[in-house]
Amino acid sequence: MTRMTTVTTRAACILVACVALSMPEMYSTEVFVQPPSAQTPRVKLGGKVRVVSNDLNYREHERMQFIPANSPTLPTFDFAYVQRGSDFVPVRRGLITTTHPNFDYFLHPGKVWQNADGGTSASLPFTLMSRFINCTHNGLLTFTLGNKQPGKVLINQETCHFMKFDLWGQVEVSYEEIDLSATDDIRNAFEEEIAHRLPLKTYADFTKDYPEADLELFDTGLPKDDALSTKGIFFNGIHYADQCRTRSGPHPFCNYMLMSSFSIAKTAFVSVAMMTLAEEFGLDIYGQRIIDYLPEANMAKGDWTAVTFNNTGDMTSGHYQNPSVMADQVAYSFFDDAPRKAKLAASFELPYKAPPGTKMTYVTSDTFVLVAAMDAYLKRKNAPITDSFEYIVERVFKPIHLAPDVLVSRRTREHGVPNVGTAFGGYGMFWTNDAAMKVAKLMLLENGRIDGKQVLHPRALDATMQRDPLDRGLDMRFFGVWYKNGAWALLAKLLGERFNCNPWVTVMSGVSGVRIVMMPNGLIFYYFNDAQAFPLAEQVIPADQIAPFCEG
């Protein structure tokens, strides 16, 4: 089965005047929606599915020059699943590595139903993960079990300004019934996952609950089209989630649409890990020197003699070439799919320019240095878990009930095996909207306590959330924003006298247009877009209208 492919990029438009080869029309997302009249299968299903693609229809919207060309194929999906009512649940969740030249993937729970003719069909969401840039590309798959007719697949959603494409067409699907009787634990875990989701309403419902709310103001500065993957508000215990957008309609499985973290990982992983370590082992972890835990620092081109864990988390190690605060001048090889040794060597390439703690320069590779140092710290403490990412999975992420898809990180390649080494730290995580709100809620509203137990050190958390006037980090000299422990912060007083009590707005932020904004009145606003839109002040005013930051 062969499909004609076309590439539509700006460069191609110049060369061929945008005259595309004849291609089938791209599917609507409605093709992948369970029919309203569908019934739950009469028998309990369980089996193994294999999905193989040949050349699919491919349309490229954007690809930066450093990214290799895509293959118009999918990785082979080979997976077992169980049924829970109308739910179609893959046995294996999380990142699945492949031999495909471009992509690894995630499989997410979908739906299964009985058709009028007695056949059984299924639809499920999945996510491709680009190894080169860590972007997620969300897709949909539908097929009929035991039917020799081809299935249909569609990928046309991402939060990634580096690379955008559509991939769609027919795929070969084979199905085999197997004994999955010993899978009650999978069903039970899935039921737990659903039970612990935050209470959910639509984004539009926010104005019903708060008539004074102005959603148009909240939306100021954000794309109006599919460049905005999704957005939402968490307030007073309710998650008001907007629809998830694709280029051919709303995504029918918004709860599972997986979005790249980019630098949100600096806060949600590395900062949270440091606060958790501080609660277990003491605040003095922030004063530990990098060079005492990483012998590689002795071979650095700069001088790491006095650089502490705290300096590294604050982006004040003093190592840079370009003094511009947002240059992020990492060695190009740092982003290679490389071993820990090579990644650390690239991290230690920058020269020493300023005493630690005196100059803030945004350097993503410093966060990898801190992750490697935290791993070494755990080993020295003889901790039962010596990987800092797995440490917060067990100490934080599982106790607050994050979905299984989120409990993974990109890692270094070791001994030729991908994704088995040290977690990247500065990027490389993945988020559902529910998971993102749970981490922000833990920091902003629950003061680092889980089920009544203090998990994040309160003093470290106060500093991160700008509640400690003696430990604010440094002024970034970038639109009035400060930076502390992997979190951005804006002094709201800069926006007018209505904020005369000096409230701070803290932010997790990532490239492309990814932000989780934590307001001092307890409102959390988030958005994931790839138009590189980063509004912040625009959301502060309407949030203050709901519940004033300052009294009087």
Side-chain angles (χ1 to χ4, degrees), residues 245-469:
R245 297 164 177 79
T246 79
R247 281 182 284 279
S248 58
H251 194 291
F253 298 98
C254 192
N255 285 330
Y256 298 108
M257 198 171 89
L258 204 59
M259 294 161 288
S260 302
S261 73
F262 297 117
S263 290
I264 282 178
K266 292 181 173 76
T267 319
F269 166 20
V270 181
S271 178
V272 168
M274 283 291 292
M275 290 185 279
T276 309
L277 287 165
E279 178 61 22
E280 181 170 358
F281 298 109
L283 270 176
D284 64 350
I285 186 174
Y286 286 94
Q288 299 298 306
R289 297 190 310 163
I290 295 292
I291 203 166
D292 292 333
Y293 292 86
L294 298 180
E296 296 89 347
N298 288 296
M299 298 174 282
K301 290 188 176 179
D303 180 3
W304 286 76
T305 306
V307 179
T308 65
F309 285 29
N310 188 50
N311 299 144
T312 314
D314 287 352
M315 299 285 187
T316 60
S317 75
H319 292 81
Y320 55 88
Q321 287 181 338
N322 184 342
S324 176
V325 68
M326 291 302 296
D328 203 5
Q329 61 247 266
V330 299
Y332 183 76
S333 60
F334 173 78
F335 292 105
D336 289 348
D337 184 13
R340 173 187 181 276
K341 180 179 179 180
K343 218 169 184 68
L344 271 180
S347 300
F348 288 128
E349 282 285 313
L350 292 172
Y352 175 86
K353 292 286 188 178
T358 64
K359 165 71 176 171
M360 191 279 176
T361 49
Y362 197 89
V363 181
T364 291
S365 55
D366 278 6
T367 314
F368 181 75
V369 168
L370 183 54
V371 170
M374 286 192 293
D375 291 353
Y377 180 90
L378 283 164
K379 289 183 177 72
R380 192 169 297 182
K381 290 292 185 180
N382 294 315
I385 301 173
T386 57
D387 179 278
S388 54
F389 185 80
E390 292 305 319
Y391 176 81
I392 63 160
V393 166
E394 297 299 326
R395 295 289 199 277
V396 180
F397 291 169
K398 286 183 178 179
I400 63 174
H401 305 289
L402 301 194
D405 311 301
V406 176
L407 305 181
V408 297
S409 172
R410 291 291 310 284
R411 294 175 175 273
T412 57
R413 174 185 291 267
E414 303 299 336
H415 309 292
V417 182
N419 219 64
V420 295
T422 303
F424 288 175
Y427 61 107
M429 290 181 67
F430 311 93
W431 292 105
T432 62
N433 53 13
D434 181 81
M437 289 304 91
K438 286 174 178 172
V439 175
K441 177 170 165 277
L442 175 67
M443 295 175 65
L444 178 67
L445 302 173
E446 296 168 349
N447 296 313
R449 298 179 69 84
I450 302 175
D451 296 329
K453 178 184 177 182
Q454 193 70 46
V455 176
L456 310 185
H457 195 287
R459 280 181 56 191
L461 180 59
D462 282 347
T464 304
M465 301 301 290
Q466 295 294 337
R467 295 192 288 245
D468 182 353

Side-chain angles (χ1 to χ4, degrees), residues 530-541:
D530 52 22
Q532 300 189 75
F534 294 95
L536 174 56
E538 293 85 347
Q539 283 78 44
V540 172
I541 300 299

Side-chain angles (χ1 to χ4, degrees), residues 49-371:
V49 175
R50 181 176 174 85
V51 181
V52 179
S53 69
N54 295 305
D55 286 346
L56 297 169
N57 306 295
Y58 181 78
R59 179 185 295 120
E60 193 168 277
H61 301 283
E62 188 74 52
R63 177 168 58 86
M64 293 192 174
Q65 290 183 349
F66 66 88
I67 302 171
N70 283 324
S71 166
T73 61
L74 294 174
T76 296
F77 295 168
D78 201 342
F79 64 97
Y81 78 90
V82 298
Q83 175 200 352
R84 173 193 169 274
S86 63
D87 295 311
F88 184 88
V89 185
V91 170
R92 181 179 177 185
R93 305 277 294 277
L95 183 62
I96 300 171
T97 56
T98 76
T99 58
H100 190 275
N102 304 97
F103 299 111
D104 296 326
Y105 68 94
F106 298 78
L107 294 172
H108 313 296
K111 291 293 181 183
V112 61
W113 63 89
Q114 184 168 297
N115 300 312
D117 62 4
T120 303
S121 293
S123 179
L124 75 156
F126 64 91
T127 305
L128 299 181
M129 192 280 297
S130 170
R131 293 190 208 96
F132 302 101
I133 44 175
N134 200 59
C135 288
T136 54
H137 300 266
N138 284 287
L140 299 164
L141 168 68
T142 189
F143 55 90
T144 298
L145 296 173
N147 189 323
K148 293 185 179 180
Q149 293 298 315
K152 294 178 180 177
V153 68
L154 170 68
I155 302 99
N156 69 345
Q157 195 288 329
E158 64 282 301
T159 306
C160 178
H161 73 281
F162 303 106
M163 181 171 66
K164 301 183 182 187
F165 63 86
D166 304 324
L167 188 65
W168 76 99
Q170 296 183 339
V171 291
E172 298 174 7
V173 181
S174 59
Y175 165 72
E176 175 189 0
E177 288 192 26
I178 58 176
D179 181 14
L180 290 170
S181 56
T183 54
D184 285 345
D185 55 336
I186 296 169
R187 293 185 180 89
N188 293 339
F190 182 65
E191 289 174 3
E192 285 285 305
E193 178 184 345
I194 293 174
H196 284 99
R197 282 188 191 143
L198 296 171
L200 189 65
K201 292 187 177 183
T202 70
Y203 188 66
D205 283 337
F206 192 68
T207 56
K208 297 177 183 177
D209 292 348
Y210 303 96
E212 68 275 26
D214 188 336
L215 290 182
E216 287 190 8
L217 278 181
F218 274 108
D219 296 348
T220 301
L222 292 173
K224 304 299 183 185
D225 57 11
D226 56 74
L228 176 65
S229 297
T230 193
K231 64 179 184 292
I233 293 170
F234 182 85
F235 191 57
N236 283 341
I238 304 295
H239 179 192
Y240 299 88
D242 199 9
Q243 66 179 359
C244 295
R245 297 164 177 79
T246 79
R247 281 182 284 279
S248 58
H251 194 291
F253 298 98
C254 192
N255 285 330
Y256 298 108
M257 198 171 89
L258 204 59
M259 294 161 288
S260 302
S261 73
F262 297 117
S263 290
I264 282 178
K266 292 181 173 76
T267 319
F269 166 20
V270 181
S271 178
V272 168
M274 283 291 292
M275 290 185 279
T276 309
L277 287 165
E279 178 61 22
E280 181 170 358
F281 298 109
L283 270 176
D284 64 350
I285 186 174
Y286 286 94
Q288 299 298 306
R289 297 190 310 163
I290 295 292
I291 203 166
D292 292 333
Y293 292 86
L294 298 180
E296 296 89 347
N298 288 296
M299 298 174 282
K301 290 188 176 179
D303 180 3
W304 286 76
T305 306
V307 179
T308 65
F309 285 29
N310 188 50
N311 299 144
T312 314
D314 287 352
M315 299 285 187
T316 60
S317 75
H319 292 81
Y320 55 88
Q321 287 181 338
N322 184 342
S324 176
V325 68
M326 291 302 296
D328 203 5
Q329 61 247 266
V330 299
Y332 183 76
S333 60
F334 173 78
F335 292 105
D336 289 348
D337 184 13
R340 173 187 181 276
K341 180 179 179 180
K343 218 169 184 68
L344 271 180
S347 300
F348 288 128
E349 282 285 313
L350 292 172
Y352 175 86
K353 292 286 188 178
T358 64
K359 165 71 176 171
M360 191 279 176
T361 49
Y362 197 89
V363 181
T364 291
S365 55
D366 278 6
T367 314
F368 181 75
V369 168
L370 183 54
V371 170

